[in-house]
Structures are given as C-alpha cells and as structure tokens.
Amino acid sequence: MNKILEIRNLSKSYGRKGYKTMVLQDISMDIYEGDFIAIMGPSGSGKTTLLNLLSTLDKPDRGEILLEGDNVIKMKNKKLSLIRRDKIGFIFQDYNLLDNMTLQDNIALPLTLNGVSPEKTIQKVQEKAVRFGLEAHLKKYPYQLSGGQKQRAASARALITNPRILFADEPTGALDSRSSRDLLCCLKAANEEGSATILMVTHDVYTASYAKQVYFLRDGQIQCRLNHRGNRKEFYEEIMQMLASMGGEQE
Amino acid sequence: MSLFRLALSNFKRSVREFGMLILSLTVSVCVLFNFQNVIYADSMDVLLEFNKDYIDMIMQAATVVFLVFLFFFIWYATNVFLNQRKKEIGIYIFMGLDNGRIGRMYALESILIGSFSLAAGLFCGIVFSKFFQMLLLKLSEISVDIQFSFSWKPLVVPSVTFAVIYGFMTMKGCYTLKTSSVLNLLSGSRQKEIKPEKKLVTAFRIITGIGILGAGYGFAWHTEGLDALNHALIAVVLVIAGVYLLYSGFIPAILRALTRNKNYLYKRERNLWVNSLAFRIKKNYRTYAMVTVLMICAVTVMAISIAMKQRYEKINYFGQVYSCQVISNESLNGEEIAEGIGQENQVEYWNEVSCLVLSPELLHTPYQEWVYMAAPYSQVKEAAERAGLEFEYKELKDSQVIQLSHEILLSLAGNDWDREVEIGQETYQVIAEDKTPYLGNMQNQATIYIVSDGLYEKLESEAAGGMNYYLYNYRIQDPENLDASKEYLGSLSQTEEEGGKFVGVMYSQSEQKDDSWIRIMYSLCLFMFATLMLACGTIIFMKVSNDVYEDKERYRVLEKLGIPREVLCRSVRKEISFAYYCPFLLMCVTSFFSVHALGNVMQEDLLRVNLWSAAAILGVFTVICLLSVKGAQRRLFMPGK
Ligand SMILES: Nc1ncnc2c1ncn2[C@@H]1O[C@H](COP(=O)(O)OP(=O)(O)OP(=O)(O)O)[C@@H](O)[C@H]1O
Ligand SMILES: [Mg+2]
C-alpha cells in the first residue's frame, strides 16, 4: 500500500519561553492510501493542533511531516497553498461554506479556481451532489439549508478535487445523530468506493466507530490504537471500553 | 459598565474603524463653513467693489448644493454606525441591555461622533479659511490682500444644519433600534441580501428603470428652443429616478443572470467575485446610485463653469475687436481719424461700413424701441478682411440676407432664428445668423442685416425716413492706452439740432470689474467639481472597506482551502474595480446627455469639457481604486491581522 503521510517525532508547544505548554510530544504515525482514521481524545489534548500541523496550516516546533515523500515543513507558504489546493481536502466543524453563493457554486469553487473547464466542473459537481444526496439543493444558498446538508456540501467540496487525503475536524460536532449518520455514510462510501484517505478528529464515539482505525490522544501523545474488526456495533463497544479504561473522562 | 462608558468605548472604536468616514464628515463641515465664510467674513469685503451681491448669491447656491450632499452623506454615515451596532446586538443583549437602552447607547455614541466631527470640522474650517479665500481669489485672478479674520456668523449655517440633519438621522436610528424585534436584529442585515424578490417586481423595476432612463436621455437630447428648460428639468428628475431603478433592477438582474450562466461563471475567478457582487448589490445599490448621481452633478457643474467662462470670454472678445467706433450721419474721412488716433496710439487695423437704419414699421415688428439696420455685403466683407475676421459667405443674392447679432451670457430662447424676414413688401430669406463682431458693439445695440449691394441701394432709395450712418472702427495696439486718444476722439463728437451733423464715439470697455463674479463663479464651480469628485471616491472607498471587513472570514476559509493568494488578490481587485467603474461608466453615458442638454441651453460646444472632466474622474477613481485594492489586500491577507 502507498504511504501518503509519514509523521516523525512531531512536537508542538504554545506560549513564550518559560511559560511553554507542550501540546504535542514526539508523535509519530503513518497513514496509507485508503485509510479512514479517527483521532479521539479529551478536550485540550491537542487534536485540533495535530490536525492543523498535518494539514500544513500550522508549523511544528520539531519533527517531520512527509506528504508523499515531500517534507512539508521546509516548504514556503506559496508552495504549501498549492499542496493544500491539489492534495489536501478539508472539512471544518462549522462548515465554512461561503454564504454568498449557491451550493453548486460552493462545491465547484476549488475546481473553478484551479482552471478546470466549466463543462467538466459542472459534470463533477453533479457526480458529487448525487453521492452526497444534494441534487435537490444545488440552487439553494447555505442559509436555506440544514446543518447536515451544509456539512455534506462541505464534504463534497473537499472531495471534488480528489485530494490525496481529507482532513476533518469534528465534522459531526454540530450535527444531530441522523445528520451525523448520513454524513458518515457518505464519507464511508467515499472511502470504500472512491478510495479516499480520511483523517478525522472527533470526541464522539459514534462518529469514531465509522473509522477503520482509532487513535487515542492524551497528554500530547498517542496512547493507543484500535483497529476496526467485525461489525460497527462491536467496534463502538470496543472504543467505549478503551475510553473507560483510559480514565473515563469521555462519555 | 455604565451606558455612557460603553458609548465612549464604542466611540473610540468607531474612530479607529471608520476613521475615513469621520474624516469625511469633518471635511464636509469644513468646506461648508468656508462657503459661508466668504459671505460673512470681513476680509471678503474687499470684494464689495466686485459686485459682492452676486458672489454671495453664488455662495448661497453652492451652500445649498453642498447641503444636499451633506444630507446624503450623514444619512450614509449614521447608517454605517447603526449597522455596526446591529451586528453586535447579541453581545449587548447578553450584557442585559434591552432595546431601549441599546437605542440610548447608540444615540449617545452617535452624538459623540457627530459633535466630534462638527467641532473638528469647524476648527479646521477656521484654520483653513484664509487659505481657502486666497485660493479662491487666486483662481479668480483677483489680487487683494487677505487678512485673517474671525466672525461667528458663518458658524451658524454649518452648525445648525449639521446638528439638525445629524440629530434627525440619529433619532431615526434610535427609533429603529427601539422598535425592531430582537430576533430581527440578531439575524441582522444578512438574509435581506439574498432574499429573492417577486419576479413581477423585478420585471417592473427593470422595465421602468430602462424606460425612465431612456426617456430622461430623450428629454435631455431635445433641449432646443423654448422648451429647453422644461425638458432639462424633466430630464434631471427622470435620470435620477432611472439611475436608481437601474441599480435596483437591471444591474442586479444582469449579475444574477451571470451567476446562473455556469459556463461564464466557472471561468477564472468569476465564481468568487461575480457571486460576491450579485450577493451585495441589493445592499449597495443605493450607494452606487448616489455616487452616480453625484458624479453626474460634478461633471455638469464643471460643464456649467466652463460654458460660462467660454461665454464670458466670447463676450469680452466681442467688445475688444474694436477699441473705439466712430459713428456719424455724414460721411467722414476714416483715414484722417486713424491718423488722429495714431498720434498717441498705434492703430492695428481700422475699417469703415455704412449702414441704413430701417424703421421698425418696415419690418412689421412689435419691438418699436429696437434698432434695425442694413449693411451692404461688399463693405462688411472688406471690413471683415481688414479686421482679420473670417467671413465665408458667398456673394448674396438680392433675396438673401444674413442676420448679425451678439453673444449673451445665458439664453433660454434657444438658437433658433427666423428663417425669413419681411422688409417693406418683400420677404427675404435669412440664410444665417452670425455672431462674429464684424460691426463690433454696434451689434449689441441693433439687429443688423447684411444685404446684397443691389438690395442695399434699393432700400436706400425706397426707404423713406431711413437714415444712413457711417461707422468707422479702430483697433489700437495697446487697448490699455486708449485714454490717451480720448481727448482727440472726444473732439470729434458733436450733437447738433434736428437734421444736423451728428458724430458719436463708442469706446470698448476694458475688462469689467463687475464681471469678476463670473470668474469667482468659475473657480467655485471648479472647486465644487473637485469636492464632489473626491466625495464620490471617498464614499465608494468607505463602502469597499466596510465590505472587506465582512469578507475577512471568507478569505480566511479560501486560504485554508489552499487557493493561492494571487488568485484571491485578483478576485479582490476585480470585485473592487466594479464598485468604482460601474458607476463611472453609467455616469459617462448620462453626463454625455446632460452636458449635451447644457450645451444646447448655453449654445456652447461642451463635448471636450465632458471628456476632460470624465478623464479627471477616471484618473482620481483609478488612484482611489488602487488604494482600495491595496488596502483590502493588506487587510485580508496580512498575517496576524
Ligand atoms: N494558538 C494557541 N495559542 C496558545 N495555546 C493554544 C493555541 N491553540 C491551542 N492552544 C492550547 O493547546 C492545547 C490543545 O488545543 P487543541 O485545540 O488542539 O485541543 P483539542 O484537542 O482540539 O480540544 P477540543 O476537543 O476542545 O477541540 C489547549 O490547551 C489549548 O489551550
Ligand atoms: Mg478541537
């Protein structure tokens, strides 16, 4: 299997000299093509920080991040933005759709700004809309949609460029259980059928149970890792047990 | 925190965020004060000898125009502050303030901003008053010393009007805050921006907008003849209404159509900026309309001033073609007079023409007091040649005449002239009306027909009671030195009893002092043009800054998505350029018609003025637009901001 992301001894701290708080310490992990990883951990454990580092939005103090063999830490901002554009997709907790355009235009945005021809863009948007169940809403503006629909649109936007890896920070954080399930089913399908590589951060066990692997982050380090075997219900229980054994701060 | 402390901290923040807006309010007050100061300041009494009444009148008119502008400006400014408060309303409600108290807080800080602007404006006004007066007189080519003086009278109009308009707007805002429901305030102005309108309303706006604007242009185009003023007035009203409707109907419709045409939209950065424009136009169209109308005003004011100046120069030139004219009822020796003048002055050129006075009855006119004359073609032609004036008419037929008349400052009668004239029993064809001063000031005092030599002889023999006059026209090298020859010329003139010899001398007036009001008017118009132009630029600038402020979040997201900065910068540039150049374009089209109308009324060719003033606005706008783009890019993409 292709290694997409290779993380070596990643450390990150915030604050000035003398008042530094270590948020991440010596984190190492490998992400392969087709992975669907969930990162869990208590609030303040550094999940968002880790995601920001991996998605090149922030820089670590020490360590290396190799995206398909290229070290992204040494890269200039300009190159980084190209990497983000071409290889990385994002889903944010608060959707981050642009409120001044329709859903269709929102989903098409990355393609149009990359110079893809209008015909091809329209066709791809249509495909993604079908996959995420949004055909009926393409002409609507974000404010006319529910949170779940918005998040699915955001996922469609993130996947439309066929990124090498998709990062999602609490994608279901603002959704109810039904909308969460719809979204996760879509992501799962994208992972299984479209072989999209996904890395998401969540503290919701139900959300995590859709992933193939779950990493547990605590005190700035990865404490342990669970692999998805058997059916989702069992995996859910497994995660619950693991959390309980780790100290039970989670629900 | 007490309400006052809260208002004070809001005020401080507003000064930081809307510095430009407050500065503009200050500048408006400053300008208004200076207009008034010209009327009341003691130092301007030096202008008394230059017909100060006229100047005062112009200043009052300028004040009124400026007040209209100030009204819109304050309206806009208070709205910006109000919207700012509306956006933060959630915070205040959590702080436990109810609507009424939020309203009071808004009123307090608004009054703070208003008093601050007013005080600063008056202060600057007083400080700059001497400079302004000097500038005004310098532009008007009037040289007097200006003392710095202070009087409280010019303070009255700016303070009172500003306070009244500002107070009214503040009360309005306060009332809005007090009466609107919390939910409405919380959802803010956002949703209004995209709420689709009923198709019928849109169609109505589009059709009436285009129709009314077209009709306005039509009226402006046909401003000849007696209806000119009526047509011009109707045109003004129609064009203002049309522009307003165009921005609220047609232009948004185009933008929406563009966003729907995906083949257009999904190319380059259009998806970003066209969408953003379409989204915002509903909110911004009033600003665009106002700016467009203001710019049309600016260009028209400029055209008025230039037309007046051209007119004035023509009239002046009219009187300067001949330095003195000798008129007599008996033939004199022109050469001898030339020699007489030549003793003190160098004669540049001279000529002579004989004229025949036609009694008004002969012409069947009701104007019994007016003088009508005929002059023979060949003599006028020769006179024109000697004076170096162009005279391009072919030998007249006996049935043809040319009418000579003079320039007037402003004529509403249009430039129609009677194509036929009846002299005695015969009807003659008037082939042209000419305003070249072939016969100098004589043309100011009589209507003169150039007739063929044959007809002249016929009229001479026929016309009973027709009197012959002989006109001798001299132009000296140095008109300033005309006085030296006055003694000699005075000795020529004689009036004798009925039927006897009569000789009169007319002197051209040197530059008239009582005309300097025209020059002051001219410089004032220039000043107004500059002010209005800058005001338009500033308004758009502020609008754009305001929008950019809202856009920050959007561009942050786009950057996260990895859209390269150049692409975003390009999109920002295009969006901002639209805000400047769309009103500019509409102004160009409209001002073409309005200036044409003005040209008709003033009988001047004003196309060049139109082009120049449009070019000036284009230049200023381009500079401000660049500043806007740079500012926006700095604001959006600077790290840490
Ligand atoms: N920009 C920053 N400056 C200083 N400290 C920061 C910054 N961002 C995060 N932190 C600190 O780093 C730690 C980890 O933050 P992070 O946002 O990664 O947590 P998280 O795991 O995402 O929590 P949650 O589940 O609540 O989102 C927190 O203690 C936080 O206070
Ligand atoms: Mg987080």
Side-chain angles (χ1 to χ4, degrees), chain A residues 47-48 169-170:
Chain A
K47 302 183 298 286
T48 303
D169 190 1
E170 310 268 9

Side-chain angles (χ1 to χ4, degrees), chain B residues 241-305:
Chain B
V243 164
Y244 197 81
L245 283 169
L246 205 67
Y247 276 115
S248 69
F250 185 59
I251 293 179
I254 291 185
L255 287 173
R256 255 177 287 133
L258 287 181
T259 60
R260 257 182 252 122
N261 179 356
K262 303 299 176 196
N263 277 325
Y264 169 85
L265 192 69
Y266 289 172
K267 277 191 192 129
R268 276 173 266 150
E269 304 85 28
R270 285 171 193 160
N271 197 356
L272 277 179
W273 65 272
V274 176
N275 262 319
S276 183
L277 282 177
F279 178 73
R280 285 226 170 93
I281 188 96
K282 272 271 169 242
K283 198 181 66 177
N284 287 351
Y285 78 99
R286 278 188 208 94
T287 311
Y288 289 147
M290 180 172 116
V291 164
T292 310
V293 170
L294 271 183
M295 274 197 291
I296 298 168
C297 288
V299 172
T300 315
V301 161
M302 184 73 183
I304 290 179
S305 80

